Every structure is written in structure tokens, then in C-alpha cells.
Amino acid sequence: MWRMLVSALVILVLALVLAACSGDDDAAPTPTRTPEPEIEATQLPFEERALEPGWYTNDDSTPRVAFELGEGWSGGHLLPEFYDVQRPELIVSFAHPTFIYERGAG
């Protein structure tokens, strides 16, 4: 009788473990991408000049990058593959090169 109770208990425990491990895979949450916030940013000017503090972007660049500038920044170069903003002690550049020159190529 003791063996029968132990066997029944083992079978019951195994059944409970198997039931717990065989969860519904469809119930797992599906990851979703958090939408990027839309930032109101001003297009960088086409000429080198002082910039007012605020958010700036280059609408021609991919991926679109928006950045916030404080006092003392000015616009630099604005080309399809390259643009920058400058301070007297710092230049921050963004580039998306579409070609590379080979050494010695003319």
C-alpha cells in the first residue's frame, strides 16, 4: 500500500510539472516597436551663420537626425553627404559618404 501511495504521488507531481511546462505559446506577448517621438526641428540654413538655440535637422539626410543646440553654435557646411555645426572650440559633423577615393587615384 505504501508503494502504491508513493507511485500515485510521483505520477501526480509529474502530471502537474508537465501541465505547468506546456503553457500556451500563443499567450506570450508580442514585442512591438515604440514609436519615435516627432520633434519639431528647423532645417539647417544653407549658409554659415549663427544659429538660435533650438532643435535642428537636415531634411536631406538619412537617417533623419534631430539635435538640440544651445547658445554659441553656428551652421557650417551643408552638403547632401555631409553637414556640421560649429562652436569656436568644437565642430560636430554628420556624414553619410556615398563614395570613397582610392589612394593615388586622380
Side-chain angles (χ1 to χ4, degrees):
M1 174 136 163
W2 176 250
R3 263 188 160 171
M4 194 180 288
L5 283 173
V6 170
S7 296
L9 185 59
V10 168
I11 291 172
L12 179 64
V13 169
L14 286 174
L16 290 173
V17 168
L18 288 174
C21 292
S22 65
D24 186 11
D25 289 340
D26 294 334
T30 303
T32 57
R33 183 177 181 164
T34 303
E36 296 178 18
E38 196 61 38
I39 296 174
E40 295 290 326
T42 303
Q43 169 65 38
L44 283 169
F46 288 100
E47 69 274 354
E48 295 181 34
R49 65 176 172 88
L51 300 173
E52 295 293 322
W55 285 89
Y56 289 89
T57 189
N58 179 4
D59 292 331
D60 296 331
S61 67
T62 303
R64 183 176 182 265
V65 176
F67 48 92
E68 186 177 19
L69 298 176
E71 292 283 336
W73 289 91
S74 63
H77 304 89
L78 186 60
L79 305 168
E81 301 91 24
F82 176 85
Y83 60 101
D84 61 5
V85 290
Q86 305 171 4
R87 292 179 68 104
E89 71 281 359
L90 179 67
I91 297 175
V92 179
S93 303
F94 302 87
H96 183 219
T98 57
F99 58 89
I100 298 174
Y101 286 110
E102 290 185 35
R103 179 177 276 179

